[in-house]
Each structure stands twice: as C-alpha cells, then as structure tokens.
Amino acid sequence: MNLAALKTNFTSNLSGLYPSEEIQSFFNILSEKQLNLSRIEIALNPDRTISEAETAKFKQAIIRLKNHEPIQYIIGETEFYGLLFKVNKYTLIPRPETEELVEYIISEQKLITHNSQPITILDIGTGSGCIAISLAKNLPKAKVSGLDISKGALKIAQQNAELNKVEVEFLQADILKTKPLPKQYDLIVSNPPYVRELEKKHMQQNVLKHEPDSALYVKDEDPLLFYRVISKLAKKHLKPKGKLFFEINEYLADDLTAFLKKEGFQNSEVKKDIFGKDRMIKCNK
Ligand code: GLN
C-alpha cells in the first residue's frame, strides 16, 4: 500500500463519524507520529510505501477512533503551553482554558517578583502535571509540588517532569482526606473536578467514555466540594498574603466568590477565558 491509498482507506473508515477536516487532522497527526513525516512530506509523497507494520498501526488507530477515543490518548501525547506532555487514560487531556490559567499565574508572578524570588507552589489534582510543570519551566526560581490521588497519573506526571527537564516534587494523597500538607506555600493552584452530573448530557463521547471520571465530575448537590476542602487547607498552608488560583466551572463563579469571601480570602477576582466564560478565580489570604 502507498500513502495515498492509506489515506483513502483511513478517510472512508471514519467518514460519517467525524467531520472531514477532523479526519484529515487525525491522519496528519498519526502520519507525523507513526511515519515520522512532516505535513509537507505527507502532501508531497503520495507514493511513499507503507509497510505491513505501519498499516497495522493505522488499523489499530481506526478501531480506537471508532470507539471515540481521543487522538491524544492514541498517540500518547499532547502539547500544552508550548511543551510536550505524555497523557494516558489516568490523566485528563490538558485543556486550552488551563493554559489560560497558567498564563494568568505566570504573568502575575513575573509582575510581582520579576521571577527573582524562590517561591513555593503547590498544584492540587496535578494529573499529567501540566500546570505544575509549565509553572516550573517558566518560573525557574519556584519550587513546585504536585499532588494527586491517582498513582497512574503521578507516574505520567513524573515522566513529564523529566521530559521537560524540570524538578517537581510529586505527592500521592486524597485531598478529601488529607491531613495537613507538608509545608507552607506562596501559591496554591488547582483545577479540580467541577463538571456536574447534570452537565454530562451536553458532553462529547470522547470525554464521557475515555477521560477519568475522578478528574472531572462532582455531584449536582455539592459542586464546590473540592473548592471548599482546598480553600480550608489553603487557609492553613498559604503563607501570609499567599495566593490561591482555581480553574472554575463557568456557572459557579458567584457561589465560589461568596464562599471565598466568607472564608476570609481577599481581593478575589474572576477572569474569563477566551470564550468569554468565567473560568478562573484568584484571591489571597
Ligand atoms: N474543562 C474541563 C471539561 O470541560 C473540566 C475540567 C475539570 O473538571 N476540572 O472537560
């Protein structure tokens, strides 16, 4: 088989299931990864011979895509904040809105300390480590730790720290049962589970079927559970004037702002994502 035939076969297998631009994009991503071809090479080499082993990899990918598995899990990696991250079924696939949260933190920190202070940062529910690692990379003086309940996620997070050549300390703990945290921090950040069960009906199969439930969902009756627990821990473990940053559910900004105020946090500020949705909140002790 040649590349052109592989593409025709790939496209016809998936058409109807995904829009044609998305199929084209899947094909390019897989060709880059499995055949080591750049976009230009893919376009210029329709006659490139495809071996049996290579064909088998595409067949496998088709089966997984038919089952709505995200392409990032199929190739085992994704990009976040300009860095490469390994991902698998134990980790959420990092979202663009989380890149905005990282950007928010980095620009604030650079403004305040000009990146010259050795601050301590804790990322709660670190998953693939994307927040912790991109902060460590961009705030080289910071000592960053990441905490997660999932051993599977922490294994990937550790690999991601090595891949991106930063030192991040990873801790395994259930935040809902955590005793005191190991130290005091200048900044605590979290993108905890915040999707209510009632929101599932608007969600895509790829998320519902394949991404880890424990990273995404909360009960309809108690959507702020993680925020409450984390804020209470933050009160004890943030240094004076220490900062708390959260990614939030667009529908819960007001409730969370009221709660943080009640807990005694100051200067809380809600920030919208590029889609104009309330997506981040920052406050200080
Ligand atoms: N923004 C993510 C999504 O919609 C949810 C992330 C989270 O629950 N922390 O899939």
Side-chain angles (χ1 to χ4, degrees):
M1 184 168 343
N2 66 20
L3 185 60
L6 180 73
K7 185 167 181 183
T8 309
N9 177 280
F10 184 84
T11 309
S12 69
N13 261 291
L14 295 171
S15 67
L17 259 179
Y18 295 97
S20 60
E21 313 78 64
E22 205 171 358
I23 298 174
Q24 166 91 32
S25 157
F26 291 155
F27 186 79
N28 287 340
I29 292 169
L30 287 164
S31 301
E32 281 186 63
K33 178 82 181 157
Q34 312 286 19
L35 310 175
N36 213 3
L37 294 177
S38 70
R39 299 276 155 125
I40 302 284
E41 288 168 333
I42 299 167
L44 295 180
N45 293 289
D47 296 329
R48 154 108 153 55
T49 310
I50 307 298
S51 70
E52 292 274 322
E54 288 167 339
T55 311
K57 285 183 182 160
F58 277 76
K59 272 200 183 135
Q60 197 52 38
I62 290 169
I63 294 170
R64 294 172 74 174
L65 286 166
K66 281 189 171 168
N67 190 29
H68 300 282
E69 191 167 343
I71 189 76
Q72 295 92 333
Y73 289 157
I74 296 172
I75 62 164
E77 64 189 33
T78 192
E79 211 187 283
F80 178 86
Y81 209 74
L83 302 170
L84 194 64
F85 284 87
K86 293 187 179 191
V87 288
N88 67 12
K89 63 180 178 179
Y90 299 110
T91 71
L92 206 63
I93 297 163
R95 306 285 201 267
E97 51 267 34
T98 309
E99 289 182 316
E100 292 191 61
L101 175 69
V102 167
E103 177 61 32
Y104 191 25
I105 298 172
I106 291 172
S107 52
E108 281 267 319
Q109 269 327 110
K110 286 192 173 162
L111 206 66
I112 299 166
T113 67
H114 306 288
N115 201 11
S116 60
Q117 304 289 321
I119 60 164
T120 49
I121 298 178
L122 174 67
D123 172 25
I124 298 178
T126 196
S128 63
C130 64
I131 298 177
I133 291 165
S134 36
L135 291 178
K137 193 83 187 168
N138 288 280
L139 302 169
K141 287 262 166 89
K143 284 217 156 310
V144 186
S145 310
L147 181 150
D148 208 283
I149 188 173
S150 160
K151 289 200 177 94
L154 288 173
K155 206 168 143 191
I156 291 289
Q158 186 58 54
Q159 290 175 17
N160 283 329
E162 285 157 28
L163 187 67
N164 287 294
K165 301 186 172 51
V166 290
E167 275 204 29
V168 174
E169 169 198 41
F170 290 107
L171 313 160
Q172 196 263 328
D174 177 353
I175 198 68
L176 299 179
K177 294 188 192 135
T178 300
K179 309 147 275 262
L181 296 169
K183 56 184 182 206
Q184 297 296 110
Y185 301 92
D186 293 284
L187 196 154
I188 294 179
V189 52
S190 184
N191 172 22
Y194 61 65
V195 179
R196 292 167 295 179
E197 299 282 335
L198 63 88
E199 293 170 56
K200 279 187 174 176
K201 56 179 176 291
H202 306 295
M203 292 170 70
Q204 306 277 340
Q205 292 274 334
N206 56 339
V207 180
L208 292 168
K209 274 178 86 170
H210 296 282
E211 294 200 84
D213 289 357
S214 63
L216 284 168
Y217 308 113
V218 282
K219 292 206 171 74
D220 293 346
E221 315 81 63
D222 194 9
L224 295 181
L225 171 66
F226 287 92
Y227 297 87
R228 278 205 319 277
V229 172
I230 293 168
S231 312
K232 292 209 187 283
L233 275 168
K235 278 203 85 174
K236 285 200 201 110
H237 290 281
L238 274 177
K239 295 182 190 168
K241 299 263 178 257
K243 292 204 194 65
L244 181 58
F245 283 83
F246 283 122
E247 183 175 315
I248 60 170
N249 182 317
E250 64 191 274
Y251 305 111
L252 301 171
D254 290 345
D255 291 354
L256 185 55
T257 303
F259 174 75
L260 291 168
K261 190 167 179 202
K262 199 177 92 214
E263 286 294 304
F265 287 94
Q266 295 177 9
N267 305 316
S268 82
E269 204 176 283
V270 174
K271 193 167 157 62
K272 292 186 192 302
D273 63 19
I274 47 159
F275 303 107
K277 296 180 171 172
D278 288 340
R279 186 62 67 200
M280 295 148 266
I281 198 160
K282 129 188 135 171
C283 58
N284 61 267
K285 198 169 154 182

